[in-house]
């Protein structure tokens, strides 16, 4: 009994730390992005609230919380109110299966540095990623605004198209590690990170991940100069903030997944595991911001062509090629 | 994949279903708090202008529930087909090593059929997003 309560307490602390870091980092990722974009465009970026603008995320959060929560006329009220929660919750849930360090030993008990090592972890990630589409599509539909509807439909079509490429690009990783469990996948990369064995998968995964998180150059669902703010046009206050939190948590999770599947997860010399995972996550996020500052937006037909006519055939051929090489050697 | 041999699968020390449920519960609580805060704090002074859908300052005309173009529907159908087939490929991938050459040749044939299907859709114009006008 005591043992169970103690275990539960340890679990709660672990969950609190994971969620706290995810949410805090989401806020500071926004700050980092604004700061870097500022520098890329020869501006200063936020620098008023606190030193280097470091209090900006807190100021933003306070402002969003105290803003009026407007529900537009004739909106589908319930769906409108709940859609942002779907985006945030699915993004946070995806992190549950990501391992962030080697097992710790605490009072003779092994405390694994992962929230939940279910043996279908990879499929769980995909399930959550698919459910995230609902938040975007329903939010856009429920607003009863033309911009929102168009943004929602575009978002849904884009996310399901790139999810295929995202899934297929991971088949070689599953083949090489022989497991869906993310802990096993990291263990399989003890000798060599998969990015060196599977560079094609790595590139497809990064491109598809950027399209999944709806960022420039794939930000058609919220193309400012065509659709206002796309599916989040009608949202205000913290509900808009929840779409934002969801998006930035999603970026972190995708960064963590890139690290787990291709960059050998938390493994690295000298520094402890969680720090390495954090470094890799931030490196991926930084590359995403860099690409955002560099590239213009795709046209919709180009977006669909890259997804269906390039990424999917290439990843299918990559699977067969990997399989053949695995059988031969 | 090895079979699950947890003596007590709901133990909080094991990173299994129990911790996932606890995590999901924590996430639900956080999103509930955020939802509650957003409707609790903040002003509430609605007026007709504020509640009107935003269309860049123009007063909206007609319903916003537009009929959307057919290609989006086609994409949804293609997604269903290819996602199910992706699930078959995953089922092979996890035991690729032990299935050996037999499994590999079978999945190669399967993927070949899949690629032929993709090219069929492609040739039929299912993936065309450009306007169909012919230029003079």
């Amino acid at each position: 009994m005591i043992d169970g309560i103690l275990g539960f307490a340890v679990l709660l602390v672990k969950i609190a730390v994971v969620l706290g870091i995810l949410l805090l980092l989401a806020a500071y990722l926004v700050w980092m992005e604004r700061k870097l974009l500022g520098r890329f465009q020869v501006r200063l970026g936020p620098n008023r609230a606190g030193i280097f603008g470091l209090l900006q995320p807190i100021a933003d959060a306070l402002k969003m919380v105290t803003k009026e929560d407007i529900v537009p006329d004739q909106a589908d009220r319930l769906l409108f109110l709940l859609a942002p929660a779907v985006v945030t919750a699915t993004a946070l849930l995806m992190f549950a299966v990501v391992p962030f360090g080697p097992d710790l030993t605490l009072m003779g008990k092994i405390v694994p540095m992962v929230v939940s090592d279910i043996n279908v972890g990879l499929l769980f990630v995909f399930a959550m990623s698919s459910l995230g589409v609902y938040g975007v599509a329903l939010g856009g539909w429920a607003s009863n605004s033309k911009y929102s509807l168009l943004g929602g439909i575009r978002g849904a079509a884009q996310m399901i198209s790139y999810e295929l490429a995202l899934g297929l690009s991971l088949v070689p990783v599953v083949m090489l590690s022989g497991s869906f469990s993310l802990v096993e996948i990291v263990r399989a990369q003890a000798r060599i990170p998969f990015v060196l064995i599977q560079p094609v998968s790595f590139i497809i995964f990064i491109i598809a991940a950027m399209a999944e998180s709806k960022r420039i150059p794939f930000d058609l669902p919220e193309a400012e100069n065509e659709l206002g703010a796309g599916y989040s046009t009608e949202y205000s206050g913290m509900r808009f903030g929840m779409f934002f939190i969801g998006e930035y948590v999603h970026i972190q999770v995708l960064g963590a997944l890139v690290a787990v599947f291709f960059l050998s997860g938390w493994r690295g010399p000298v520094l402890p595991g969680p720090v390495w995972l954090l470094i890799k996550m931030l490196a991926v996020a930084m590359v995403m911001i860099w690409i955002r500052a560099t590239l213009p937006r795709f046209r919709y037909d180009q977006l669909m062509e890259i997804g269906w006519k390039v990424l999917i055939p290439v990843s299918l051929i990559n699977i067969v090629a990997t399989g053949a090489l695995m059988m031969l050697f | 994949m090895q079979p699950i041999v947890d003596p007590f699968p709901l133990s909080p020390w094991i990173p299994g279903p129990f911790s996932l449920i606890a995590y999901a519960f924590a996430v639900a609580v956080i999103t509930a708090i955020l939802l509650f805060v957003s409707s609790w704090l903040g002003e509430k002074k609605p007026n007709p202008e504020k509640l009107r859908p935003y269309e860049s300052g123009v007063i909206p005309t007609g319903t916003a529930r537009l009929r959307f173009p057919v290609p989006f529907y086609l994409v949804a159908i293609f997604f269903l087909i290819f996602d199910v087939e992706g699930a078959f490929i995953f089922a092979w991938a996890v035991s690729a090593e032990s299935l050996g050459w037999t499994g590999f040749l079978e999945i190669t044939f399967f993927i070949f059929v899949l690629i032929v299907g993709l090219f069929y859709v492609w040739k039929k114009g299912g993936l065309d997003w450009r306007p169909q006008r012919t230029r003079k």
Side-chain angles (χ1 to χ4, degrees), chain A residues 3-4 6-8 10-11 15 18-19 22-23 65-74 81-82 85 88-89 92-93 95-96 109 111-112 114-119 122 124 126 141 144-147 149 153-154 157 160-161 164 167-168 171 174-175 178-180 233-234 238-239 242 245 299-301 304-305 308-309 312-313 316 319-320 323-324 326-328, chain B residues 1-2 4 11-20 22-24 26-28 30-32 34-39 41-48 50-56 60-69 72 75-76 78-79 82-83 86 89-97 99-101 104 107-108 111 114-115 118-119 122 127-130:
Chain A
D3 186 56
L6 204 65
F8 193 62
V10 170
L11 180 66
I15 289 173
V18 167
L19 286 177
L22 275 181
L23 291 173
V65 164
T66 50
K67 284 284 175 187
E68 183 169 355
D69 184 23
I70 304 171
V71 182
D73 231 6
Q74 295 166 17
L81 295 181
L82 288 181
T88 313
L92 286 172
L93 276 173
F95 200 83
K109 285 273 192 180
V111 181
V114 54
V115 172
S116 179
D117 175 27
I118 45 179
N119 56 6
L122 194 137
F124 176 79
F126 282 126
W141 186 82
N144 195 38
S145 156
K146 295 180 187 96
Y147 289 154
L149 182 72
I153 296 169
R154 279 189 187 185
I160 60 176
S161 297
L164 288 175
L168 292 176
V171 170
V174 174
M175 284 159 64
S179 173
F180 287 134
T233 304
E234 296 300 333
M238 202 56 214
R239 273 178 226 282
M242 285 175 84
I245 295 172
R299 272 200 328 260
Y300 205 79
D301 61 316
M304 284 299 178
E305 249 162 45
W308 286 93
K309 298 183 182 173
I312 292 178
L316 285 174
I319 294 170
V320 175
M326 259 180 77
M327 291 303 139
L328 286 174
Chain B
M1 287 224 291
Q2 57 276 38
I4 307 159
S11 161
W13 291 101
I14 297 164
F18 179 77
S19 51
L20 184 64
Y23 185 81
V27 167
I30 283 181
T31 42
L34 282 175
L35 282 177
F36 173 68
V37 156
S38 61
S39 58
L41 298 171
E43 294 187 62
K44 277 181 197 65
K45 287 181 191 158
N47 68 43
K50 211 185 265 176
L51 296 183
R52 185 176 292 150
Y54 173 78
E55 281 185 20
S56 310
T61 53
T63 173
R65 314 270 195 236
L66 302 168
R67 299 195 204 176
F68 46 87
F72 286 109
V75 163
F78 298 153
F79 167 73
F82 282 93
D83 207 35
I89 298 178
F90 264 115
W92 163 74
V94 76
S95 46
E97 198 89 72
L99 288 178
W101 277 104
F104 173 68
I107 206 72
T108 307
I111 289 175
L114 201 58
I115 291 180
L118 185 66
F119 274 99
W122 187 338
L127 304 176
D128 270 347
W129 284 83
R130 274 181 223 164

Side-chain angles (χ1 to χ4, degrees), chain A residues 76-91 127-144 148-157 159-160 163 212 214 221-222 229-235 239-240 242-244 246-247 250, chain B residues 31 35:
Chain A
D76 196 323
R77 209 181 152 80
L78 184 69
L79 289 182
F80 184 84
L81 295 181
L82 288 181
V86 176
V87 174
T88 313
T90 50
M128 286 303 127
S129 159
S130 302
L131 283 179
V133 179
Y134 278 104
V136 171
L138 289 180
W141 186 82
S143 302
N144 195 38
S148 300
L149 182 72
L150 290 172
I153 296 169
R154 279 189 187 185
M159 285 169 87
I160 60 176
E163 204 174 289
E212 277 285 296
K214 304 181 287 299
E222 38 196 323
Y231 58 89
S232 57
T233 304
E234 296 300 333
Y235 281 92
R239 273 178 226 282
F240 176 74
M242 285 175 84
F243 273 125
F244 233 76
E247 189 180 325
H250 204 156
Chain B
T31 42
L35 282 177

Side-chain angles (χ1 to χ4, degrees), chain A residues 167-198:
Chain A
L168 292 176
S169 73
L170 287 183
V171 170
V173 170
V174 174
M175 284 159 64
L176 289 171
S177 56
S179 173
F180 287 134
S181 155
L182 272 63
V183 177
E184 281 309 316
I185 290 174
V186 171
R187 195 171 296 153
Q189 297 174 72
R191 274 193 310 132
I192 184 166
F194 284 159
V195 63
L196 298 176
I197 312 176
Q198 283 293 336

